[in-house]
Amino acid sequence: MKRLIPIIFLSALLSSCEFGFEVSNNVAPGLYLGCVASPEKAVIELACASPLGVNAADIPEVKLRELEFSVNGEILPLTDLQVDFGQTLGRPLAPGDKIGLKALAEGLPQVEASTVQPAQPSLDKVTLVKEEMSGVRVSGFDLYLDAQPAADEYIGIMIRKSCEIQIEGEWKDSVRFLSPSVTAPADPAAEMARVDFFGMYLIRAVSSGRDRPAPRILTLVPASALRDGKLSLTVIDMSGIMQAGQGGAPPMAIPEPPQERNVFYEFRILGVSEDFYRYSLARYKSSSDFLAQMGLAPAQFAWSNVRGGFGVCGAYTSLSYSFEETEILLDN
């Protein structure tokens, strides 16, 4: 059955109003704590969170005095106190394990955070329908998990497409992560988040001069977005839409995308903790809420589960599945 993907062009007249108000800025400096744990490893970052108006050069480096990582109350050793890019844990984490973290830095209040290691969802099958409408290319993926997630569970999906593309008569390798949207969730109130899997929490990795990896788009939804374990995702390619010409010239079509062959999709299915989802949703809203960016709605997207400071402590599990496009492609 073909999918109907409506394309809605929204235009609005906006009027601006000017208000005068004073900004209070009496918040004391605090410790930013970022921790994302997987079954084998925890990425932990610490930074000084300074009030507004302080020059970046005047923000002090964190002088860490204590760092404690525990699982179900048992303290696990960390390799050292320089924790920016991943710590191998003393034992694998299991679903339901309670993760605790405490950190104390010189001159800053102690912070604490906790989360719960989520269960791992399993993928049963995938189907794909490809359509083209008025120059818009649509790929519709239906993902079927082996069971409907529990009401308090959250799911993440990454889709990696690899193929050979023809450029000037030569076939070259191409690898990219797709950026899907959720199609008609089972619960219309279910909120989708879409973030860069690495960039969402590796702040120091981005600012330290290290090469930042290409964005790996992670789409996150609560269990209520699925029905009977099924989640529908849509990827839209608008490169074939006609472009307006310059200086009154007639519109011109963008050249056709290169031909592809040997197309494979890797689906990475994640179970994520509620904290991971909530923090990702706040980051997604802060960068995508049009009304808030225009000043027409409150831009209150901060979220944290770190007591005494700022940041997030979350956890995830993941499994990957690979399919050749011909294995999952359905006839239109």
Side-chain angles (χ1 to χ4, degrees):
M1 179 178 180
K2 290 192 174 183
R3 300 178 180 215
L4 179 62
I5 308 296
I7 302 175
I8 302 174
F9 295 93
L10 176 63
S11 61
L13 293 176
L14 302 176
S15 60
S16 60
C17 300
E18 188 172 312
F19 301 91
F21 58 91
E22 294 184 0
V23 177
S24 176
N25 185 30
N26 56 1
V27 178
L31 186 62
Y32 167 85
L33 167 65
C35 174
V36 178
S38 62
E40 305 291 342
K41 187 172 72 171
V43 176
I44 304 170
E45 288 197 308
L46 300 167
C48 181
S50 178
L52 292 172
V54 177
N55 293 327
D58 296 330
I59 299 176
E61 290 290 327
V62 172
K63 296 181 180 178
L64 188 60
R65 293 175 55 187
E66 295 180 19
L67 182 65
E68 181 181 291
F69 186 94
S70 64
V71 178
N72 300 327
E74 174 191 354
I75 298 176
L76 299 186
L78 299 176
T79 54
D80 55 50
L81 295 185
Q82 302 301 317
V83 294
D84 291 343
F85 296 102
Q87 294 280 308
T88 300
L89 302 177
R91 66 170 178 83
L93 302 179
D97 279 349
K98 185 173 180 180
I99 300 166
L101 200 62
K102 295 181 182 180
L104 178 63
E106 186 175 314
L108 297 173
Q110 177 176 287
V111 298
E112 299 183 19
S114 62
T115 190
V116 176
Q117 185 70 18
Q120 174 62 60
S122 296
L123 183 63
D124 186 24
K125 69 174 183 177
V126 179
T127 60
L128 167 63
V129 173
K130 300 177 72 174
E131 298 182 87
E132 181 172 340
M133 298 175 292
S134 302
V136 178
R137 296 169 179 83
V138 179
S139 296
F141 296 93
D142 282 336
L143 279 65
Y144 298 83
L145 303 185
D146 64 352
Q148 171 69 18
D152 59 350
E153 292 182 338
Y154 300 84
I155 306 299
I157 302 98
M158 284 194 290
I159 305 177
R160 178 179 179 266
K161 180 180 180 180
S162 61
C163 62
E164 292 179 285
I165 60 175
Q166 191 175 41
I167 301 177
E168 297 180 352
E170 295 185 13
W171 290 99
K172 299 185 178 181
D173 293 334
S174 171
V175 177
R176 65 189 180 97
F177 283 83
L178 305 183
S179 182
S181 296
V182 178
T183 309
D187 177 8
E191 294 187 285
M192 177 195 76
R194 194 164 52 210
V195 295
D196 177 0
F197 181 60
F198 287 137
M200 63 169 283
Y201 59 87
L202 290 180
I203 295 176
R204 198 175 300 273
V206 174
S207 62
S208 65
R210 299 193 181 196
D211 292 335
R212 179 175 181 173
R216 300 189 176 190
I217 304 302
L218 173 63
T219 302
L220 298 147
V221 293
S224 60
L226 290 80
R227 177 177 285 118
D228 297 328
K230 177 185 175 182
L231 179 67
S232 297
L233 300 173
T234 300
V235 178
I236 298 178
D237 177 5
M238 305 182 70
S239 61
I241 290 183
M242 301 288 286
Q243 285 187 323
Q246 299 292 328
M252 299 178 62
I254 299 176
E256 289 287 329
Q259 295 295 313
E260 299 177 344
R261 70 180 186 185
N262 298 328
V263 181
F264 286 83
Y265 297 96
E266 180 186 11
F267 297 88
R268 188 174 180 185
I269 309 299
L270 292 81
V272 301
S273 65
E274 182 176 359
D275 316 285
F276 191 112
Y277 167 77
R278 297 293 178 195
Y279 182 73
S280 300
L281 183 62
R283 288 186 63 91
Y284 177 64
K285 285 185 174 182
S286 70
S287 63
S288 65
D289 191 289
F290 174 76
L291 293 179
Q293 292 177 5
M294 296 298 296
L296 302 177
Q300 299 176 356
F301 304 124
W303 190 92
S304 174
N305 65 337
V306 176
R307 299 176 294 278
F310 312 92
V312 63
C313 179
Y316 73 93
T317 62
S318 72
L319 282 176
S320 294
Y321 305 81
S322 183
F323 300 92
E324 190 171 4
E325 185 176 77
T326 55
E327 296 176 337
I328 62 175
L329 184 62
L330 301 180
D331 293 333
N332 289 354

